[in-house]
Amino acid sequence: MEFYTELRIKGDDYSGGFTNGISLAGSSTVNGMKMICTDDSTTVFETQQGYTVKCSHVKIGDVTVCKSVIENTADSTATVELLSSFAIKGITADTIHRATSFWSAEGKLLTQKLTDLNMEPSWAHHGIRVEKFGQVGSMPVRKWFPFLVLEDSENGCFLGVQLYCASSWQIEILRKNDDVYIQGGLADRDFGQWTKNVAPGESFETPVAVVAQGNTLLDVCNKLVKAQLPRIAEVDRDMPVVFNEYCTTWGNPTLDNLRRTAERLEGSGVRYLVIDSGWYKNADEGDWFSKTGDWIPSTELFPNGIKEAADTIKSYGLIPGIWYEYECLGGAAEGYNMAQHLATRDGVPVTVGGRRFWDMRDKWVQNFLDERVIGLLKSAGFGYLKVDYNETIGAGVDGAESLGEGLRQCVAASRDYFKHITEEIPDLVIENCSSGGHRLEPSLMELVSQASFSDAHECNSIPLIAANMHRLIRPEQSQIWAVLRAGADLHRINFLLTASFLGRLCLSGEIFDLTDEQWQAALDGIEFYGEIKHIIKNGVTTQIRTDAEDYSAPCGYQAVLREYNTQALLIVHTFKDGANPPVDDLSDGYEVVKTFGSTLDGDFRGRAFLLEK
């Protein structure tokens, strides 16, 4: 295995092998580069044009952190059309694993043989096979996660990579001879309409990619996930329980509803009560979706101001939280028509499904958000901020040398604003949400305490999606909802609560209408969560076993085993026709210390086991 760099400069010859239009790898600049020096962490090349390229591959614990930097040491501007974050040659592999993603179906594993992709070498080793995938836009986890694992099944070896990129990205698998080589990073000129001008004396650095090797798929995934180093607020480090009222009011929060909810939550072990969307909407102003953007609290919903709601929540011993979608604007917002401050393409505001986008590079926009977001958080005393993002900008925006570079700059400015918020309010807990899981990507996840794992609020697929996240983000950050309804039986309540044990427990629903028996089940679940959350936080997932395939109508079962020192957490769910699943072997070598949930002798049941050696 050899680390190197892929680079293309405008005007280069394209690679042969029938790749033109499929891949920009193998340019004449790359083929003509000369290695200047190399050591265990950096390889430095010089191009024929006189540019210096540094390929960094630093070993940190169980992973290698990669990036590339181009320095223009020549006397003319370089227009870069491709610069990889990682590029690796000499890989032996026969199978690839990717994580697919659509709304409310995030992280579903797709495993394919290279032969199924028609990627075996040709008889003459002529013609390069290419499998290229990625996403274009500001939702980095849309269709695919920026993640790939290659498997050499004969030797039991796995190589995984995860990109830290919140804008358009790509990964390529290429093959000409027996070996496989991979490269990836920012989406290039062909795929993401990206070019970057680097003037003499300037440099440009790629996003980071993290690479890991292991003996199993989960071994590699655990190493990649453990390498993520998030900024978690002090008050959130013990993984407290959240209550979010969205599935209680569906965008119509009121002071009375919040008070009733807080009364029920008092002394329950829940720490946060989050006001979700709609708090800024009066009755004559449309729905919560169209009114996003002005961020003026509703005088109908909160006649004495929203601080009264925050103070009410505090009076019950809870930390108040609030929802924003501050990067976007709905059609009824005043800013919707402020074209001079919006992200544009070809001079026209980018408009998607009734949404427009602030140009986050604009200082006026930043000052506006300082007043309407940070100002309100401070004045009302909120300790928790949920940041949503419900559409994608797409290919790019004006204001840079290319649409893709404009998008990269806008997304970088959004990331900087996350940092700005925490600088202004250091103790604030921030939740990353994007129609559920469309921004579950490491460079954003490292800026927040936790994230919405999905919008599958009450779906039977919740355990499947929650388990998928173990391969991709830290479970201690993966907020999983248990929406508790008065009409649900105890098996349904247990099914949802045990699914939430696959990450961060978040409650929603009309909990004030639950019977004493139903609420006691919730309290028992909260207590059990308190006893196992150290395993969620510190453990490694060693088994994800399921025969369920259809997320809209799951059948069979799922079992997830997460181990930590001498303890383990086993979580089992049954779906349709899944009663009495074959999972006894997963607890071999352990004794059952405590359990929570239903017996597994029926459909749609959930049970969690605390195990110890």
Side-chain angles (χ1 to χ4, degrees), residues 99-129:
T100 64
S101 188
F102 285 108
W103 183 74
S104 293
E106 292 87 350
K108 191 173 187 178
L109 189 68
L110 177 64
T111 297
Q112 295 170 296
K113 293 288 188 182
L114 289 179
T115 51
D116 292 335
L117 291 166
N118 197 18
M119 289 192 67
E120 58 267 47
S122 70
W123 64 273
H125 286 180
H126 179 60
I128 300 173
R129 274 57 170 151

Side-chain angles (χ1 to χ4, degrees), residues 46 57 241 535 570:
E46 184 177 72
H57 40 90
V241 182
I535 303 175
L570 174 62

Side-chain angles (χ1 to χ4, degrees), residues 158 215-223 225-226 467-471 475 502 535-536 538-546 558-571 583 585-588 590 609 611 613:
F158 294 75
N215 299 319
T216 67
L217 173 63
L218 278 174
D219 181 25
V220 167
C221 291
N222 282 321
K223 289 173 180 176
V225 167
K226 291 288 188 184
N468 291 341
M469 292 304 102
H470 282 226
R471 303 185 186 99
L502 289 163
I535 303 175
I536 300 170
N538 300 311
V540 293
T541 301
T542 53
Q543 292 281 345
I544 300 177
R545 182 188 296 178
T546 184
Q558 176 180 271
V560 178
L561 182 67
R562 189 164 176 85
E563 299 181 274
Y564 177 60
N565 291 338
T566 61
Q567 292 185 306
L569 173 63
L570 174 62
I571 299 175
V583 297
D585 62 301
L586 294 178
S587 58
D588 285 350
Y590 287 101
F609 302 80
L611 309 173
K613 291 183 178 179

Side-chain angles (χ1 to χ4, degrees), residues 5 19 33 42 47 58 158 170 231-232 250 263 273 282-283 293 295 299 323 344-345 359 481 491 505 582:
T5 296
T19 60
M33 287 194 311
T42 307
T47 74
V58 180
F158 294 75
Q170 65 183 40
R231 173 249 172 223
I232 297 180
W250 300 105
E263 287 174 353
L273 172 50
N282 289 323
W295 310 121
T299 55
W323 176 99
T344 63
R345 187 178 307 145
D359 187 335
W481 286 35
H491 292 313
L505 173 56

Side-chain angles (χ1 to χ4, degrees), residues 105-309:
E106 292 87 350
K108 191 173 187 178
L109 189 68
L110 177 64
T111 297
Q112 295 170 296
K113 293 288 188 182
L114 289 179
T115 51
D116 292 335
L117 291 166
N118 197 18
M119 289 192 67
E120 58 267 47
S122 70
W123 64 273
H125 286 180
H126 179 60
I128 300 173
R129 274 57 170 151
V130 181
E131 176 67 12
K132 184 172 185 174
F133 67 101
Q135 81 81 35
V136 174
S138 52
M139 282 180 162
V141 177
R142 183 184 56 153
K143 190 173 181 180
W144 302 103
F145 277 76
F147 160 92
L148 171 69
V149 175
L150 294 95
E151 176 184 353
D152 174 2
S153 60
E154 181 177 350
N155 295 301
C157 299
F158 294 75
L159 173 70
V161 61
Q162 191 166 38
L163 272 171
Y164 286 51
C165 184
S167 56
S168 301
W169 60 268
Q170 65 183 40
I171 294 176
E172 294 184 19
I173 309 155
L174 304 102
R175 192 174 200 179
K176 183 177 181 181
N177 301 312
D178 291 337
D179 291 346
V180 173
Y181 54 111
I182 58 175
Q183 70 97 4
L186 290 167
D188 61 28
R189 182 178 182 179
D190 277 3
F191 191 67
Q193 300 187 46
W194 179 81
T195 62
K196 177 67 179 178
N197 292 337
V198 183
E202 293 183 344
S203 63
F204 178 76
E205 181 176 305
T206 68
V208 163
V210 173
V211 178
Q213 294 178 275
N215 299 319
T216 67
L217 173 63
L218 278 174
D219 181 25
V220 167
C221 291
N222 282 321
K223 289 173 180 176
L224 293 173
V225 167
K226 291 288 188 184
Q228 299 171 18
L229 301 174
R231 173 249 172 223
I232 297 180
E234 184 67 35
V235 70
D236 203 49
R237 291 182 182 173
D238 61 341
M239 295 176 58
V241 182
V242 182
F243 185 96
N244 183 299
E245 58 77 44
Y246 182 69
C247 289
T248 312
T249 70
W250 300 105
N252 294 284
T254 64
L255 184 61
D256 179 65
N257 182 277
L258 291 167
R259 183 180 289 110
R260 293 177 68 198
T261 301
E263 287 174 353
R264 184 64 125 162
L265 293 175
E266 186 176 22
S268 65
V270 174
R271 185 169 298 170
Y272 311 108
L273 172 50
V274 181
I275 305 170
D276 212 279
S277 59
W279 54 267
Y280 41 81
K281 171 186 70 71
N282 289 323
D284 61 346
E285 293 179 324
D287 57 26
W288 70 262
F289 190 88
S290 62
K291 189 57 182 171
T292 54
D294 293 336
W295 310 121
I296 298 172
S298 168
T299 55
E300 291 181 7
L301 299 174
F302 305 103
N304 297 318
I306 202 162
K307 185 178 187 302
E308 181 182 23

